[in-house]
Amino acid sequence: MYRFLNDRQGAQQHPKNTNASEGRRSGSADSYNQFRGRIVLVDLATVDGQTEDFDGRTWLETRVRERMPVGWDLEWQPDRIQGSDNPIALMQFADENMALLLRTHKTGNWLPASVLRALWSDSCSKLGVGWDGADKGKMQNTFNFLPNAIVDLAEMAKKKGLTEQGLKSLTEHFGIKMRKDSRVARSNW
């Protein structure tokens, strides 16, 4: 997500759809070319363990307090060798105005209390794609717990009868052309 948000050519919408009954968004292609919100990158290894204060903390706490959903994703260095289990290196929370990117690669299984509250919250839904895949196992192996209130859009699509269940295919189903380069997706986070 981080690289996608920074990629100025990250997504392009299909030509304007004039048939609103098809449920696809219309508008200029430019509205999908870049994330116009604030991107905050925090290396959790630099966060003071006493205050646990970091840029973006207030935003995350507000989302939890106001019971607002967040987009959520995890990234890690690819497990290229059989038997390897690289830990999560980046945890991402986002909404339409903010992308909070937390580098976790140097912190072992430690997370600030505000991040734990967000992950444990039943009232702050964490929306993502493909939770029951590798993400779930990586979360358990890296941090020794599983978060609450996960909404897997792939599972939702399956229940609705959609054959598309990956992030790229789901966005294309709804008329958004997303650039998702496998070299970036499988890079060393």
Side-chain angles (χ1 to χ4, degrees):
M1 181 189 303
Y2 171 67
R3 292 181 184 167
F4 173 74
L5 293 173
N6 274 331
D7 182 355
R8 299 304 178 219
Q9 300 302 316
Q12 295 177 1
Q13 185 180 8
H14 287 273
K16 186 173 180 176
N17 181 359
T18 57
N19 186 351
S21 66
E22 291 182 31
R24 297 178 193 231
R25 294 182 148 188
S26 61
S28 73
D30 291 339
S31 65
Y32 295 100
N33 282 345
Q34 70 183 29
F35 178 68
R36 298 189 193 284
R38 182 171 175 226
I39 299 172
V40 175
L41 177 60
V42 177
D43 184 343
L44 291 181
T46 65
V47 172
D48 182 322
Q50 297 294 323
T51 65
E52 295 190 357
D53 194 24
F54 58 89
D55 195 14
R57 174 182 165 186
T58 301
W59 169 83
L60 186 59
E61 290 173 337
T62 300
R63 298 296 294 186
V64 173
R65 185 177 55 254
E66 294 181 2
R67 302 171 181 235
M68 300 293 295
V70 292
W72 186 64
D73 197 17
L74 304 169
E75 305 295 345
W76 57 88
Q77 182 179 354
D79 295 320
R80 298 184 197 274
I81 301 169
Q82 186 174 4
S84 67
D85 186 21
N86 292 315
I88 293 169
L90 186 72
M91 186 177 296
Q92 307 163 62
F93 294 90
D95 68 8
E96 65 277 7
N97 298 311
M98 171 78 127
L100 176 59
L101 311 171
L102 303 174
R103 296 195 65 62
T104 61
H105 65 297
K106 296 177 185 174
T107 61
N109 65 359
W110 178 81
L111 293 170
S114 57
V115 174
L116 290 171
R117 281 190 296 274
L119 294 171
W120 289 334
S121 173
D122 287 319
S123 60
C124 174
S125 297
K126 278 67 70 184
L127 302 128
V129 177
W131 167 247
D132 278 333
D135 287 2
K136 190 174 191 178
K138 285 291 180 183
M139 188 69 194
Q140 181 64 52
N141 292 343
T142 303
F143 298 110
N144 303 314
F145 75 93
L146 295 176
N148 296 328
I150 298 295
V151 177
D152 187 342
L153 299 178
E155 283 298 312
M156 188 180 289
K158 186 177 180 181
K159 288 178 184 175
K160 296 287 184 180
L162 297 176
T163 57
E164 301 87 357
Q165 292 175 20
L167 178 61
K168 186 175 180 181
S169 61
L170 279 170
T171 58
E172 288 175 355
H173 175 83
F174 291 102
I176 301 168
K177 177 87 170 123
M178 184 177 111
R179 182 175 170 221
K180 187 176 177 189
D181 189 331
S182 64
R183 291 174 295 146
V184 173
R186 293 187 178 103
S187 65
N188 183 356
W189 293 92

